[in-house]
Amino acid sequence: MTKEKIIAVQNLSKQFGNFIAVNSISFEVYKGEIFGFLGANGAGKTTAMKMLIGISKPTSGEALVAGFDVKTNTEMVKRSIGYMSQKFSMYDDLTIKENITFFGGIYGLSRNQIKEKTEKLVSQLELEDAVDKLVGSLPLGWKQKLSFSVALLHEPKIVFLDEPTGGVDPITRRQFWEMIYAEADKGTTIFVTTHYMDEAEYCDRVSIMVEGSIEALDTPKNLKKKYNVASMNDVFLKLARNVE
Amino acid sequence: MSIIVQNISKSYNKAKAVEAITFEVKEGELFGLIGPDGAGKTTIFRILTTLLLANEGSAIVAGFDVIKDYKAIRDSVGYMPGKFSLYQDLSVEENLTFFATIFGTTIEENYDLIKDIYIQIEPFKTRRAGVLSGGMKQKLALCCALIHKPKVLFLDEPTTGVDPVSRKEFWEMLKRLQQKGITILVSTPYMDEAALCDRIALLQKGSILKIDSPENIIKNYDKVIYDVRTQNMHQLILDLKNYPSQYSVYAFGEYIHYIDKSAGFNPKDLAAYLEKNKHSEIEINISRPTIEDVFMDL
């Protein structure tokens, strides 16, 4: 793997009143890497991710995403990244084609580019017969695969995936990860959160947040060795005590 | 029997949500409905808690018919829906008092039942429910579903989106409730949680594919699964899929689960094939199947 830094985070913090949601975290993510960003509910993952995608201002610290400062250059940060979450990905009351056209437009693609991308994406996902169906009528697994592809429409350098596979059936979950692998092979950086610990094993490196801090960061193999356990689930259970 | 479901079907407009569902849950049993999003789990819960009428079939819960005796059922069951459904602008304590009151009871009367769970959120009892963290919301919702001491507890995906630590704690709570004699019907998309139930029904696209204890389901699985690992896992998936006699190839944590369809399969041949395709650090070992393996092969 080339060690070109694509995300560089230095002492990044976010405070809400007296509550420190993210407490001086530092880490780097490399080009083409699949980086798993784990932590218990309330550990600060979402807050950290919001700062990295340029929609929440850090209280202190620095972060460069695709070379742009998340404090001063949020517009360029947003142009360089793709984002999908379990909660929000696409408009249920627009068709597949309309959603692609809409997001293509937002990302500044030309009419021709959108047309080309739509054809390619629809045939890759084998959705030819469904392009005029409302997204709301699709099974969750299809929706998630589609919104991953839509998040990649503008060929971002990094794509942020916030629990992309929650509730998705086991087979589709694996197809989804094969899409992630293929995209990472092309050089796109994948920044992903998940509560499925088998998926943590698919990441090149994994960080585990506990109470606003990064408690561990390494390859799954090294983490299991370090904590002397058989699975990432056990690593997680050892580290992420449930503090509310 | 605590729950008897016979031939229940339900459609929304033309879309079939569940079709000819039949199962029984014994008294004091912890029974799991296991299936992905869209399998029909929530529809079954809503029918059994009398919030939805089935198109066909009948169901009895705690001795009462879901249509004729719906009021008696509402008194005898607790229901924790999949979406957080408490009053966001009431405090923790106000929510609990509210639910106790509408069931004609008080927090004190059944405090024993919820004590274990409630003490974990009691320090925040004046906080509004809307601002609680995911784990705390889940505990409060469980307390509210238990406050009238139900005979049967319905939990629709209580652990979806919940981290592994909180999930583990939640299942420990369920085991303790079960010991107090409460029948529990719980649904989950997490296959690892299936193993914690007494019996499970595997659901897909509105139908039950299998009902048995998790141990029996695994024991009766008749295919041999191999754990395969090499230095390049993504390439390994692609290469295994191209192996002529492959039956299925699925990523499974740090290994790939590989099943071959030929009777004379020899792992050495596969190792040689992988070596030829430039894999190194090749490991191929027989694996123990899990509920997830069985589910994916149905």
Side-chain angles (χ1 to χ4, degrees), chain A residues 41 174 178 185 224 240 244, chain B residues 133 163 165 234 241 251 254:
Chain A
N41 300 106
R174 286 170 174 80
E178 285 171 33
D185 281 353
K224 282 181 282 182
E244 305 258 20
Chain B
S133 75
D163 67 75
V165 177
H234 180 217
K241 284 190 171 176
E254 59 181 326

Side-chain angles (χ1 to χ4, degrees), chain A residues 137-198:
Chain A
S137 70
L138 295 177
L140 180 69
W142 285 31
K143 230 194 247 184
Q144 297 306 77
K145 284 199 268 183
L146 180 62
S147 61
F148 178 59
S149 305
V150 168
L152 293 167
L153 270 183
H154 56 305
E155 297 173 14
K157 292 193 171 128
I158 310 160
V159 59
F160 289 86
L161 309 172
D162 194 1
E163 286 183 43
T165 54
V168 172
D169 71 84
I171 293 179
T172 312
R173 212 152 64 76
R174 286 170 174 80
Q175 291 169 344
F176 193 92
W177 270 89
E178 285 171 33
M179 289 173 73
I180 291 181
Y181 274 135
E183 199 53 42
D185 281 353
K186 282 193 239 162
T188 311
T189 303
I190 313 284
F191 189 97
V192 60
T193 72
T194 180
H195 285 316
Y196 290 97
M197 289 302 117
D198 59 331

Side-chain angles (χ1 to χ4, degrees), chain B:
Chain B
M1 285 298 160
S2 199
I3 303 173
I4 303 170
V5 180
Q6 268 177 335
N7 259 318
I8 288 275
S9 295
K10 175 73 189 176
S11 305
Y12 302 104
N13 298 320
K14 276 183 212 149
K16 278 199 180 113
V18 294
E19 210 184 354
I21 296 281
T22 299
F23 67 94
E24 292 180 343
V25 181
K26 292 174 203 140
E27 251 182 81
E29 196 172 24
L30 175 53
F31 191 96
L33 292 177
I34 315 296
D37 186 78
K41 303 188 298 287
T42 299
T43 300
I44 296 173
F45 276 108
R46 295 181 63 84
I47 290 170
L48 295 181
T49 51
T50 77
L51 301 173
L52 189 69
L53 288 173
N55 299 121
E56 281 169 58
S58 63
I60 289 171
V61 174
F64 302 109
D65 183 278
V66 287
I67 298 170
K68 281 205 318 262
D69 312 316
Y70 72 94
K71 281 188 177 160
I73 289 183
R74 290 179 189 182
D75 282 337
S76 346
V77 307
Y79 175 40
M80 184 172 154
K83 294 230 166 69
F84 184 64
S85 59
L86 302 179
Y87 294 91
Q88 313 261 355
D89 42 10
L90 292 186
S91 71
V92 167
E93 196 175 25
E94 286 165 344
N95 264 293
L96 196 56
T97 307
F98 175 79
F99 280 92
T101 310
I102 53 171
F103 283 110
T105 181
T106 59
I107 299 179
E108 293 72 35
E109 200 175 322
N110 293 318
Y111 190 71
D112 259 7
L113 195 59
I114 61 162
K115 197 176 132 199
D116 281 355
I117 309 157
Y118 191 61
I119 45 170
Q120 301 173 50
I121 50 173
E122 212 164 10
F124 313 100
K125 65 182 180 186
T126 55
R127 205 178 275 187
R128 282 190 300 115
V131 300
L132 295 177
S133 75
M136 284 202 280
K137 276 184 180 168
Q138 180 204 39
K139 283 170 192 151
L140 175 59
L142 185 58
C143 287
C144 290
L146 282 169
I147 196 62
H148 59 296
K149 210 176 181 185
K151 294 196 183 82
V152 185
L153 187 58
F154 292 97
L155 307 168
D156 192 4
E157 296 204 16
T159 54
T160 293
V162 175
D163 67 75
V165 177
S166 307
R167 277 172 53 197
K168 189 164 172 272
E169 285 181 358
F170 193 83
W171 278 87
E172 286 162 3
M173 285 188 261
L174 290 192
K175 288 280 179 193
R176 285 199 292 273
L177 289 172
Q178 189 193 9
Q179 280 157 15
K180 289 178 179 159
I182 298 176
T183 304
I184 302 172
L185 183 70
V186 58
S187 71
T188 177
Y190 294 101
M191 301 288 155
D192 57 338
E193 294 182 345
L196 304 170
C197 300
D198 297 327
R199 286 191 308 142
I200 54 176
L202 299 180
L203 243 87
Q204 194 154 39
K205 293 182 185 136
S207 301
I208 291 180
L209 307 171
K210 212 169 216 147
I211 301 177
D212 210 334
S213 68
E215 300 78 37
N216 282 341
I217 287 180
I218 288 170
K219 205 169 66 191
N220 294 334
Y221 188 68
D222 57 354
K223 297 194 181 73
V224 183
I225 301 172
Y226 290 90
D227 279 336
V228 185
R229 179 157 77 172
T230 70
Q231 94 294 355
N232 183 342
M233 295 301 268
H234 180 217
Q235 194 54 44
L236 178 60
I237 294 178
L238 301 176
D239 288 336
L240 285 175
K241 284 190 171 176
N242 285 327
Y243 194 63
S245 56
Q246 70 95 2
Y247 172 79
S248 69
V249 177
Y250 291 119
F252 245 91
E254 59 181 326
Y255 291 100
I256 307 292
H257 278 190
Y258 174 80
I259 301 177
D260 198 276
K261 61 186 168 203
S262 81
F265 173 72
N266 185 343
K268 281 183 185 146
D269 299 337
L270 181 62
Y273 164 83
L274 291 175
E275 222 161 279
K276 209 181 78 198
N277 282 284
K278 301 194 177 75
H279 286 274
S280 58
E281 301 165 42
I282 299 167
E283 282 178 46
I284 304 176
N285 300 303
I286 289 183
S287 175
R288 283 225 313 267
T290 64
I291 296 287
E292 192 153 7
D293 289 296
V294 180
F295 189 89
M296 289 197 292
D297 196 23
L298 287 169

